[in-house]
Every structure is written in structure tokens, then in C-alpha cells.
């Protein structure tokens, strides 16, 4: 057995898969270290297995002691875990308004914090802890009527997202001994980004303040959705500084070219499935370590479920076939043929007129 992510073979691990031999046969088992914090990046074109691999990691973290896995699920790929025979809880998350700082409020609403409505929203966020309080503060503000009206409209938009309340998701939920799945499948990118920003900040702050003895693992599917919005700065902090207090962050994306270069360079565990876009390949190639000899693109796998794993901790490269999931995978793309049998039993309506 080979353990990716550490040199010494002690502490908890989780099974990733097996070595893939040149002739396609199965080799030695390959595990991932979950004892220490890591920054991971799982990449691959659509259908190559990246979300499946993230689910494999989630399964392993459920079984590991001393960790608190949290999965950000913008596509509903992890919701089947709620009915599986594992310790997992699917929640429709909400956050406190003051979980976002004034700058983040302006970012999530697309406002300039130094002008007009943006300046008013900044001040409201500085003065009030709740969204209702912010809306009342803006309504009573001593400002031009057009500015007050614009700021009020933006805050009304935020209220329509239905993600802000006075309590928000509790730290006991995020840092429990089970997998917490944050189901964001019904949310647009801005409210989803606001939740991720708040959760990433809460996990980091909880470890800094030693409010939890479990080491959080934040798993983010479709990470490219969040890299250019309100969650950008909190994710960057986890990537660059999270390992010191013990927060791991694993991002999965089909567009590594959309992930900030800082994230790619800070990654100590890269799991690369099949890629065909040169922009995406070049983004990884630019951060290629010196010990990865040869052409990076030529070493990428061709088969779904296979991966090139780069372990910066031990400066090694592995060709791996990811193991099969023990729980349902919700990221499968539906096909018309899946419904053909049912459709065949439905009598089509023929009530048509010729005019």
C-alpha cells in the first residue's frame, strides 16, 4: 500500500484506489493521508469522474476519526448520501447577515463600496447584524432619495434569496462527526457564493479560536463557480493559510484555468482526470513541479475513472484507478434511454387539428 500525502505510514488514511499498471491491470492499493491538513485539487472534463472522486474522498472522511467533512454541493450530486447507510446530513444552509463583512456585502451585490448605493450598504452592514436591520437602517438613512431607493432594492434582492436568518448554520453542525452536505442546487451563483464565503470563514475562525477539536475538510464541487465572486477571498485564505490551524480544502472543477494560479501553486494533492482543453492543461502545466518529468498532457489518463495523482508532499507521481463508490453517486448525467421503457407505456395524445 502507498499513502499519498505523507512520508510516514501512521495515522488515519482513506482508500483512493489502486495503481494502474501499463497493461491496465490493478496494482497495489493507494490511500490518501487524512491525518494532516491538505490543499487538494481534483480536475477533469465533464464526465471524467472528478465529482465521483470527490465523493470517494467524502466516504473516506466519514469513516475517519477526528475530522469534520463539509461538502459544498451546487449540483445536488451528494444529496443521495442522506438516504445511504452512512453518517451524512444534507442541509439547505442559511447564514447570518453579519457572517459577511461590509466589503463582502458589496461584492455579492455587485456594488462599488465607495459610491452611492454601495457606500450605503457598506454602512448598513457595519451597523447592523441582521438583514432586516440593514433594510431598516437604509430606509431611515440621511441620503438622497435615489440612493436610498437603489440600496433598498439591492437589499430586497438579497432577501429574495432566502438564505439569511438570525441564527444561520451552527458550528456544531459544520464540525460534527458526520458529513455535512450543503445543498445549494437551487441557488444561483451569488447566494451560493455568500454561503460558501460564510462557511469558509467560520471554519477557519473556529480553528483559530480552538472552538472545535475536529479538523475540518471543506470539499467544494464545481469550484470554478466560486472563484470570481464573494467566496474568492475566503477560499484564498484557506488555501494559503488554512493548513496552519488545521483546515483542509479540496476543490473539484472541470475548468482549472478558471481557478486562481495561487490555488494551483498551493495544491499539495492534485488528482487529474481526463482533460482536453489546452487552456486547462496549460493552467496546470504552468504550475508543474520539477519532479514531474516529461509532457504533462501526455501523462493525463484517457479512461473515465483513471487519474494522474501528483503528491507534492513526497514529490511523487502516481497513475491510479479510483475505487468504486459504496454510496449512490448523484452526479450522473441522465439519458433519454433511461426513460424509454416508461415512455413506451404512455399513450401519446393525438388531439391535433389541421388548419
Amino acid at each position: 500500500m502507498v499513502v499519498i500525502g505523507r512520508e510516514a505510514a501512521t495515522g488515519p488514511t482513506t482508500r483512493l484506489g489502486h495503481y494502474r499498471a501499463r497493461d491496465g491491470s490493478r496494482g497495489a492499493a493507494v490511500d490518501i493521508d487524512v491525518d494532516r491538513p491538505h490543499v487538494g485539487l481534483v480536475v477533469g472534463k465533464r464526465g471524467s469522474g472528478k465529482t465521483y472522486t470527490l465523493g470517494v474522498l467524502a466516504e473516506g472522511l466519514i469513516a475517519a476519526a477526528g475530522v469534520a467533512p463539509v461538502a459544498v454541493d451546487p449540483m445536488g450530486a451528494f444529496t443521495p448520501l442522506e438516504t445511504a447507510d452512512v453518517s451524512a446530513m444534507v442541509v439547505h444552509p442559511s447564514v447570518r447577515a453579519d457572517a459577511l463583512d461590509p466589503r463582502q456585502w458589496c461584492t455579492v451585490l455587485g456594488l462599488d463600496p465607495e459610491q452611492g448605493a454601495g457606500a450605503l450598504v457598506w454602512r448598513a452592514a457595519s451597523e447592523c447584524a441582521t438583514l432586516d436591520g440593514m433594510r431598516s437602517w437604509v430606509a431611515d438613512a440621511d441620503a438622497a432619495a435615489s440612493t436610498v431607493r437603489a440600496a433598498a432594492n439591492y437589499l430586497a434582492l438579497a432577501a429574495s434569496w432566502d438564505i439569511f436568518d438570525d441564527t444561520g448554520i451552527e458550528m456544531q453542525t459544520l464540525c460534527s462527526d458526520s458529513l455535512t452536505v450543503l445543498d445549494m442546487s437551487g441557488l444561483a451563483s451569488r447566494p451560493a457564493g455568500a454561503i460558501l464565503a460564510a462557511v469558509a470563514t467560520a471554519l477557519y475562525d473556529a480553528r483559530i479560536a480552538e472552538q472545535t477539536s475536529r479538523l475540518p475538510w471543506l470539499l467544494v464541487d464545481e469550484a470554478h463557480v466560486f472563484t470570481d465572486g464573494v467566496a474568492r477571498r475566503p477560499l484564498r485564505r484557506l488555501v494559503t493559510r488554512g493548513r496552519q490551524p488545521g483546515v483542509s480544502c479540496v476543490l473539484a472543477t472541470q475548468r482549472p484555468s478558471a481557478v486562481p494560479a495561487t490555488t494551483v501553486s498551493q495544491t499539495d494533492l492534485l488528482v487529474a482526470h481526463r482533460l482536453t482543453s489546452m487552456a486547462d492543461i496549460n493552467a496546470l502545466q504552468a504550475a508543474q513541479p520539477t519532479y514531474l518529468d516529461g509532457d504533462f498532457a501526455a501523462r493525463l489518463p484517457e479512461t473515465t475513472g483513471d487519474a494522474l495523482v501528483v503528491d507534492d508532499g513526497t514529490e511523487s507521481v502516481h497513475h491510479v484507478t479510483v475505487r468504486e463508490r459504496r454510496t449512490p453517486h448523484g452526479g450522473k448525467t441522465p439519458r433519454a434511454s433511461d426513460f424509454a421503457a416508461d415512455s413506451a407505456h404512455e399513450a401519446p395524445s393525438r388531439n391535433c387539428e389541421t388548419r
Side-chain angles (χ1 to χ4, degrees):
M1 180 184 71
V2 173
V3 178
I4 293 175
R6 69 160 185 243
E7 296 181 6
T10 59
T13 64
T14 181
R15 181 62 45 84
L16 176 63
H18 294 80
Y19 270 120
R20 175 172 51 85
R22 291 183 180 274
D23 62 0
S25 61
R26 188 167 110 164
V30 176
D31 287 7
I32 290 180
D33 164 53
V34 295
D35 191 31
R36 297 181 300 178
H38 297 283
V39 174
L41 186 62
V42 183
V43 302
K45 65 180 294 184
R46 180 183 297 178
S48 65
K50 64 184 182 307
T51 300
Y52 191 95
T53 297
L54 199 65
V56 166
L57 178 57
E59 285 182 350
L61 291 170
I62 291 173
V67 300
V70 178
V72 174
D73 187 13
M75 300 296 290
F78 294 90
T79 54
L81 293 176
E82 187 172 36
T83 57
D85 187 22
V86 293
S87 180
M89 176 175 55
V90 177
V91 298
H92 299 280
S94 61
V95 296
R96 291 172 52 93
D98 60 357
L100 303 182
D101 63 32
R103 180 187 297 275
Q104 290 173 325
W105 265 105
C106 290
T107 300
V108 78
L109 293 174
L111 295 172
D112 184 343
E114 297 183 357
Q115 296 185 13
L120 208 56
V121 167
W122 180 294
R123 291 172 58 194
S126 301
E127 296 289 336
C128 305
T130 67
L131 181 54
D132 286 343
M134 291 172 63
R135 298 178 75 178
S136 297
W137 191 95
V138 165
D140 297 335
D142 183 14
S146 59
T147 301
V148 170
R149 185 165 55 251
N153 287 341
Y154 278 108
L155 292 179
L157 171 63
S160 72
W161 296 338
D162 198 26
I163 63 168
F164 296 103
D165 64 27
D166 294 346
T167 57
I169 189 168
E170 297 181 350
M171 187 53 59
Q172 291 86 344
T173 299
L174 291 176
C175 289
S176 68
D177 59 355
S178 64
L179 170 68
T180 303
V181 178
L182 305 181
D183 182 10
M184 302 185 190
S185 55
L187 297 178
S189 59
R190 286 190 178 185
I195 292 173
L196 176 54
V199 168
T201 299
L203 292 176
Y204 181 87
D205 290 347
R207 282 299 304 159
I208 289 291
E210 297 184 351
Q211 295 174 345
T212 173
S213 59
R214 296 184 178 277
L215 299 187
W217 279 70
L218 182 62
L219 314 179
V220 184
D221 198 16
E222 302 293 328
H224 54 274
V225 175
F226 304 105
T227 55
D228 193 26
V230 67
R232 181 185 180 99
R233 290 174 59 236
L235 283 178
R236 177 187 173 90
R237 183 169 67 168
L238 285 189
V239 167
T240 57
R241 297 160 54 187
R243 277 176 284 192
Q244 190 277 328
V247 184
S248 296
C249 183
V250 181
L251 308 180
T253 178
Q254 60 187 346
R255 294 176 52 204
S257 58
V259 175
T262 302
T263 299
V264 180
S265 65
Q266 290 288 326
T267 296
D268 65 301
L269 290 175
L270 170 65
V271 181
H273 292 284
R274 178 168 167 76
L275 286 169
T276 54
S277 166
M278 285 309 302
D280 294 328
I281 293 173
N282 290 338
L284 298 177
Q285 186 88 28
Q288 175 180 313
T290 56
Y291 53 83
L292 183 56
D293 297 329
D295 182 15
F296 179 79
R299 302 187 67 171
L300 289 173
E302 297 286 336
T303 305
T304 299
D306 288 346
L308 180 70
V309 181
V310 182
D311 175 9
D312 195 57
T314 59
E315 298 187 356
S316 57
V317 182
H318 313 271
H319 294 272
V320 175
T321 296
V322 177
R323 68 166 174 82
E324 291 187 5
R325 292 266 299 270
R326 296 185 292 269
T327 57
H329 174 48
K332 184 179 179 181
T333 303
R335 300 184 180 188
S337 57
D338 296 336
F339 306 96
D342 294 334
S343 299
H345 297 291
E346 297 177 1
S349 174
R350 299 295 184 183
N351 186 20
C352 302
E353 289 185 358
T354 302
R355 294 178 182 262

